[in-house]
Amino acid sequence: MTNEELAKKLETLSELLEITGENPFKAKAYLKAAQSIRAIPEDIRSLVRKGELEALPGIGKSISQQIQKYVEEGRLPLLEEIQKKIPIEIVELLKIPHIGPKTAKILFDQFGISNISDLKEALFTGKIKEARGISSKTLSKLRAALSNKELSYERMLLNEAEELSYRIREFFGKYHPEVNLMIAGSLRRGKETVGDLDFLIFGADSGKALSHFIKRTGNTSSVVEGEEITRVIDDKGVQFDFLITTEEKKGAALLHLTGSKEHNIRLRQIAKSSGNRLTHEGIFLKNGKLLTFSSEEELYEFLGLHYIPPELREDWGEIEAAKNGTLPKLLCSKDIKGDLHIHSDWSDSSASLEDLAYIAEHMGYEYISVTDHAKRLMVARGLTLEQLKARNEAIDEINEKYAGKIVLLKGIELNIDKDGQVDYEESVLKEFDFCIASLHWGLSSDRDKITERLIKVMQNPYVDAIGHPTTRLLLKRPEADIDFERVFEEAAKTGTLFEINSFPDRLDLPPRLIRLAKRYGVKFIIGTDSHSVSHLPLIKYGVTTARRGWLEKSDILNTFSLNELKDEIKKRRIERMKRYG
DNA sequence: GCCGTTTTCGGCCCGACTGTTTTCAGTCG
């Protein structure tokens, strides 16, 4: 049982309450509770044990009791009660565009439809010809939505979303240079995965440019074209939202379209508490007069807040921090002095050492760490002792050739075996400048077992960092079940660094765990896990993820100069040797 | 159901767009 599982259950409960027509604010309360649980890094079971559930925002007496039952007996009493009235699976229907709680209720009441396959059958066999409360127009929209359903739900990885947004930019830049386009939404916040692309658009003939864009995407069946909002879904199912605004109003519009929704709600509450109304146009004062803002900075200032960078806008405490002036001074890309997780063609990358040196120098780095796979990872051509020796000599040669330009550190990516041991003896390990240890097998074994493996490996004096710690693959494989409270508590003692892996399908650690680790005093590195020279620029996604985890320059060891970095690694190894060696 | 530095009761973010229920409800972000 994980926080995520409980959050999903509470969300389902919230949706069922909406469908059954309960007090909508009660339904919202369950949704808020779900969000609260998803945002915290601590295991919900330990909060229940400590009796601290009600300290979470949006969780009061009643929901706390439900959660307690769930943790102790694996059931939510309210869910069981509602289940008697309506099948739980009906929440599936809400995923379909144009079906909300009211329409779902109508479908169930009038036709007994409670899942997608029932609905499909009913729609396509003509079982539903007319319904009270659902027009024939809506029915044909539903048919359209269901016939290409699998296309419309997918989320994109951050890099895919960014590349797509550049193509949209190019289109407008080429054909409509007079309009201004600004990227907003979850892409601007740097969220790990992106559902749709949001753009602000302003300037002369924005409407005309958008009509052109709609024609170009070709798919006109699902277009929404209003005065202010244009929505298009392309033939791959990707949704583009455009908000038309003006130069004077673009600050409020950008804030609105960037979100997150939860962040916006908090800001509107703040405006409201002083009698004003915050909308996408600006601030409506008590007397009805509209104040406009051409930048977000001015708007935050009006609300009495320091400027909040988009990456922090999740209502995870940033508003309180902006009020008190305690926002972090976030890390920047230019702070990074080197990439500490790179593979070469000595193992399974396509990049030669010389390629890497050349690119790294041109990226302005001071050093990189070549962390080829260690011998037990056969599929990735892990290095034998002989190969290792030869590779290290090759690194020495490159370092001589590039002296004064870039330094290649002799690194390795070790495999953590089932007992928390790694691939080589200490006599071999001590030759490396930098060792990352990663989990590559046994990812689905039970919580205690994986946790123990990590704790054991962190006690190895030469294991400097843990690579892609949760082992998640975004949109593919969930996080391994690991007790990170125990792991980070131990890491604070062992001085083990935690990687923020920049590869777009990993972005691992996730931000909520970064924040937990930081609370324990853990330090971090950012690595790309590059397997080709083209991967080195992916570091920016690692930086974004670190920013979403509220990290500052001093939290990340690869913002240090080479000498500082070496000293720090040495210091930490000596400390571990004293304790565990 | 939750919440409170004006409140333990009476609120709970805000608006665009659509379709149709000629004054508004439902969906969406």
Side-chain angles (χ1 to χ4, degrees):
Chain A
M1 195 216 61
T2 63
N3 290 16
E4 181 59 31
E5 283 162 13
L6 173 59
K8 283 221 171 83
K9 279 251 158 55
L10 291 171
E11 266 172 11
T12 300
L13 192 44
S14 164
E15 288 169 339
L16 288 169
L17 288 169
E18 278 196 290
I19 293 170
T20 53
E22 272 274 359
N23 174 3
F25 296 108
K26 181 172 169 179
K28 277 207 186 77
Y30 277 89
L31 183 62
K32 178 95 202 298
Q35 286 163 349
S36 224
I37 283 159
R38 184 169 282 129
I40 55 155
E42 296 91 350
D43 193 287
I44 193 74
R45 286 167 290 193
S46 69
L47 285 183
V48 169
R49 251 197 318 277
K50 287 185 270 183
E52 291 173 1
L53 272 182
E54 288 182 45
L56 294 179
I59 297 184
K61 208 166 184 172
S62 173
I63 295 183
S64 154
Q65 279 171 2
Q66 297 278 329
I67 293 175
Q68 201 154 341
K69 270 264 191 295
Y70 181 71
V71 166
E72 285 162 5
E73 300 169 27
R75 58 195 201 89
L76 286 170
L78 184 56
L79 192 60
E80 288 175 355
E81 205 169 302
I82 294 180
Q83 209 176 344
K84 290 176 195 158
K85 289 186 235 159
I86 200 159
I88 290 181
E89 61 179 5
I90 196 166
V91 299
E92 278 179 28
L93 298 180
L94 302 182
K95 291 193 191 128
I96 301 164
H98 315 292
I99 297 186
K102 304 295 174 190
T103 309
K105 182 82 169 16
I106 292 173
L107 288 170
F108 181 70
D109 287 348
Q110 290 185 30
F111 305 97
I113 291 168
S114 64
N115 60 51
I116 291 178
S117 65
D118 283 357
L119 177 63
K120 263 188 174 169
E121 198 204 316
L123 282 171
F124 292 109
T125 59
K127 203 168 129 193
I128 307 180
K129 286 219 174 64
E130 52 189 49
R132 261 172 304 151
I134 308 177
S135 68
S136 61
K137 210 162 180 176
T138 302
L139 289 176
S140 65
K141 279 188 173 181
L142 289 181
R143 276 185 210 104
L146 280 170
S147 52
N148 59 4
K149 148 180 114 46
E150 54 286 338
L151 289 175
S152 52
Y153 306 149
E154 275 178 32
R155 295 183 69 84
M156 286 170 276
L157 296 175
L158 186 55
N159 65 321
E160 295 167 344
E162 193 170 82
E163 281 154 25
L164 191 50
S165 78
Y166 290 157
R167 290 218 292 280
I168 306 299
R169 247 186 207 295
E170 272 172 33
F171 170 84
F172 284 95
K174 184 172 174 190
Y175 298 108
H176 304 281
E178 72 286 356
V179 308
N180 297 285
L181 207 63
M182 292 175 94
I183 293 168
S186 51
L187 173 57
R188 180 163 181 250
R189 300 201 311 279
K191 206 171 166 199
E192 296 98 314
T193 62
V194 174
D196 57 12
L197 295 184
D198 298 302
F199 298 93
L200 213 60
I201 185 167
F202 57 97
D205 289 335
S206 293
K208 223 164 87 185
L210 284 173
S211 301
H212 183 194
F213 178 75
I214 291 168
K215 272 204 202 94
R216 173 184 172 265
T217 61
N219 185 355
T220 50
S221 63
S222 53
V223 167
V224 172
E225 206 176 1
E227 294 261 313
E228 291 182 78
I229 287 175
T230 291
R231 175 163 304 148
V232 194
I233 298 178
D234 75 5
D235 52 6
K236 291 194 186 70
V238 181
Q239 182 172 316
F240 303 90
D241 285 347
F242 296 89
L243 175 63
I244 301 177
T245 184
T246 61
E247 175 69 37
E248 316 70 78
K249 291 180 180 173
K250 69 176 191 294
L254 186 58
L255 189 76
H256 167 82
L257 203 61
T258 298
S260 66
K261 189 178 168 189
E262 291 73 26
H263 180 84
N264 286 349
I265 288 173
R266 292 290 310 277
L267 295 184
R268 288 180 196 133
Q269 285 169 345
I270 289 172
K272 197 170 185 170
S273 68
S274 38
N276 303 318
R277 210 171 82 240
L278 172 60
T279 79
H280 65 283
E281 291 191 275
I283 296 268
F284 286 91
L285 300 173
K286 283 175 217 162
N287 58 17
K289 190 169 169 269
L290 173 66
L291 284 184
T292 62
F293 300 86
S294 65
S295 75
E296 292 179 328
E297 283 83 350
E298 294 167 62
L299 189 37
Y300 277 112
E301 198 187 335
F302 181 88
L303 294 172
L305 301 174
H306 285 87
Y307 175 75
I308 301 175
E311 294 93 329
L312 302 187
R313 300 182 194 167
E314 300 290 343
D315 192 21
W316 289 348
E318 74 280 6
I319 293 182
E320 291 71 14
K323 222 180 270 175
N324 308 331
T326 53
L327 282 168
K329 191 172 182 301
L330 295 181
L331 162 88
C332 300
S333 279
K334 65 170 172 32
D335 295 329
I336 301 291
K337 298 227 164 63
D339 185 341
L340 293 179
H341 189 168
I342 298 178
H343 297 269
S344 79
D345 60 4
W346 283 85
S347 57
D348 64 342
S349 164
S350 62
S352 69
L353 294 173
E354 178 130 29
D355 291 341
L356 291 173
Y358 179 83
I359 297 288
E361 184 202 344
H362 282 82
M363 287 178 71
Y365 284 158
E366 197 177 316
Y367 51 82
I368 56 172
S369 169
V370 185
T371 49
D372 282 306
H373 287 288
K375 77 175 171 194
R376 284 187 197 146
L377 200 62
M378 301 294 200
V379 288
R381 304 209 311 261
L383 299 182
T384 63
L385 290 177
E386 295 73 36
Q387 290 169 324
L388 205 49
K389 188 159 172 285
R391 188 208 65 160
N392 285 352
E393 284 168 10
I395 289 180
D396 285 335
E397 280 172 31
I398 295 289
N399 277 337
E400 254 173 62
K401 187 170 171 186
Y402 283 80
K405 293 177 177 164
I406 185 89
V407 172
L408 271 52
L409 297 172
K410 291 168 193 154
I412 193 81
E413 184 179 11
L414 301 162
N415 303 290
I416 304 170
D417 78 6
K418 63 181 185 3
D419 303 314
Q421 304 294 326
V422 296
D423 307 65
Y424 307 113
E425 302 287 312
E426 293 204 353
S427 60
V428 178
L429 293 179
K430 71 177 184 197
E431 300 300 322
F432 293 112
D433 298 314
F434 188 65
C435 297
I436 300 181
S438 308
L439 292 163
H440 288 121
W441 315 289
L443 307 181
S444 50
S445 63
D446 70 68
R447 185 176 175 92
D448 286 343
K449 213 163 182 182
I450 304 195
T451 304
E452 286 303 332
R453 284 166 75 192
L454 283 177
I455 286 175
K456 180 78 191 157
V457 83
M458 290 192 298
Q459 295 172 352
N460 185 320
Y462 298 100
V463 169
D464 302 302
I466 301 297
H468 48 72
T470 77
T471 74
R472 73 174 179 181
L473 289 177
L474 290 164
L475 309 176
K476 274 192 204 136
R477 183 171 75 204
E479 296 173 13
D481 189 10
I482 295 167
D483 185 345
F484 276 107
E485 285 170 272
R486 280 182 65 201
V487 168
F488 294 145
E489 194 181 350
E490 182 69 19
K493 289 185 203 152
T494 59
T496 310
L497 306 166
F498 271 72
E499 180 185 43
I500 296 167
N501 188 295
S502 309
F503 222 83
D505 66 354
R506 289 196 185 267
L507 299 179
D508 185 8
L509 289 175
R512 67 168 215 295
L513 290 175
I514 294 175
R515 294 188 68 185
L516 180 70
K518 183 170 174 171
R519 278 221 304 268
Y520 278 94
V522 172
K523 297 284 178 188
F524 306 85
I525 61 147
I526 300 181
T528 54
D529 210 345
S530 285
H531 283 74
S532 137
V533 287
S534 66
H535 291 159
L536 268 77
L538 297 175
I539 194 99
K540 66 179 172 183
Y541 301 115
V543 171
T544 301
T545 303
R547 287 168 64 87
R548 286 175 62 78
W550 292 47
L551 293 190
E552 306 186 325
K553 187 178 169 184
S554 58
D555 295 313
I556 316 273
L557 261 66
N558 46 321
T559 63
F560 291 13
S561 72
L562 181 59
N563 287 336
E564 289 169 337
L565 176 72
K566 281 183 159 173
D567 287 349
E568 191 66 34
I569 289 170
K570 198 169 153 193
K571 204 177 84 192
R572 285 166 188 255
R573 284 184 180 184
I574 291 169
E575 190 58 36
R576 279 192 293 273
M577 262 179 253
K578 275 195 217 151
R579 263 176 195 268
Y580 307 100

